[in-house]
Amino acid sequence: DAKTTQPPSMDCAEGRAANLPCNHSTISGNEYVYWYRQIHSQGPQYIIHGLKNNETNEMASLIITEDRKSSTLILPHATLRDTAVYYCIVFRAGGTSYGKLTFGQGTILTVHP
Amino acid sequence: GAVVSQHPSWVICKSGTSVKIECRSLDFQATTMFWYRQFPKQSLMLMATSNEGSKATYEQGVEKDKFLINHASLTLSTLTVTSAHPEDSSFYICSAPRTGMETQYFGPGTRLLVL
């Protein structure tokens, strides 16, 4: 699976949009971009995933560039409860490695009042 | 709500004892589950893949005789840390991919402290 690069930390004011970038320049055509987050002392929580189209769900939006080499996770109205480590993972769904997620260091997002 | 549970949520044991951690998928069947380990201020590291009906497969550097995995049913996998030592103290997390939904759900984690 392709490697990802994320900034180690970001800050965001409560109520504002949080935009978390991720670079995955070696992504291949059949690899998805997944985002998970881990709130302190909890298991990771699935947020969203996409292949090449932008995606939106009740938690966030995922914007993938046309060349698929980078993406941005958008939390439209960040709250204090969104403070967590956010992981961007590139993953090929299906196949023998199905489910074997490789976690990088992620981005520590701190939402402040 | 939670779709993968773990038990216990935390455990303290003496060095040399064995500890069993359970991972259950609550409303779906999982022929495969995964076990991760996370040390303080570090990211999750995959330890092994638990396969229902066959032996678990371990990542490089993980001792299979120390970390016994049993996938007893389509909704239950157990990880037993045998002869635990203080260096085994960590946060253990399981996950299960939900077939057809392309998503993977994680348990809440089990914090192990070996004294």
Side-chain angles (χ1 to χ4, degrees):
Chain A
D1 297 325
K3 185 179 177 180
T4 62
T5 303
Q6 299 177 250
S9 64
M10 294 183 65
D11 287 338
C12 177
E14 189 176 20
R16 305 296 292 265
N19 298 287
L20 290 86
C22 180
N23 285 320
H24 32 79
S25 58
T26 61
I27 192 170
S28 60
N30 60 356
E31 290 181 316
Y32 288 75
V33 179
Y34 279 77
W35 284 84
Y36 285 81
R37 72 180 182 184
Q38 185 177 26
I39 296 171
H40 184 61
S41 295
Q42 297 182 23
Q45 177 189 23
Y46 166 81
I47 302 174
I48 199 168
H49 76 283
L51 184 61
K52 52 185 176 182
N53 297 323
N54 298 337
E55 302 289 343
T56 296
N57 62 19
E58 65 278 4
M59 289 184 67
S61 295
L62 174 61
I63 308 298
I64 303 174
T65 57
E66 192 168 344
D67 62 7
R68 302 186 70 238
K69 293 185 177 181
S70 65
S71 60
T72 301
L73 177 74
I74 302 172
L75 307 179
H77 306 286
T79 70
L80 298 179
R81 288 179 295 180
D82 292 322
T83 293
V85 181
Y86 287 77
Y87 296 100
C88 169
I89 300 171
V90 170
F91 173 67
R92 183 175 66 88
T96 57
S97 64
Y98 181 60
K100 295 177 70 171
L101 300 178
T102 301
F103 286 81
Q105 294 305 308
T107 296
I108 301 172
L109 174 68
T110 303
V111 181
H112 52 85
Chain B
V3 296
V4 175
S5 69
Q6 282 184 241
H7 178 80
S9 55
W10 64 280
V11 57
I12 301 174
C13 70
K14 292 182 179 180
S15 185
T17 61
S18 294
V19 175
K20 180 186 285 188
I21 302 170
E22 293 185 347
C23 176
R24 294 182 184 272
S25 57
L26 297 181
D27 60 353
F28 66 99
Q29 294 181 334
T31 56
T32 302
M33 292 184 178
F34 299 91
W35 287 96
Y36 294 81
R37 180 168 54 181
Q38 186 176 33
F39 292 107
K41 297 189 183 301
Q42 295 186 22
S43 191
L44 284 78
M45 292 294 293
L46 179 66
M47 297 176 64
T49 302
S50 175
N51 304 298
E52 192 272 337
S54 64
K55 291 182 179 180
T57 54
Y58 293 81
E59 297 300 300
Q60 190 173 9
V62 178
E63 300 176 56
K64 62 182 174 132
D65 294 330
K66 181 169 184 63
F67 298 99
L68 301 179
I69 291 173
N70 181 28
H71 204 124
S73 72
L74 288 172
T75 59
L76 173 64
S77 173
T78 60
L79 169 68
T80 301
V81 184
T82 62
S83 186
H85 288 95
E87 57 265 30
D88 299 322
S89 298
S90 188
F91 192 46
Y92 292 86
I93 306 168
C94 70
S95 72
R98 193 161 185 169
T99 306
M101 296 186 68
E102 297 178 323
T103 54
Q104 186 167 159
Y105 294 94
F106 286 81
T110 297
R111 192 162 300 280
L112 170 64
L113 177 60
V114 184
L115 301 177

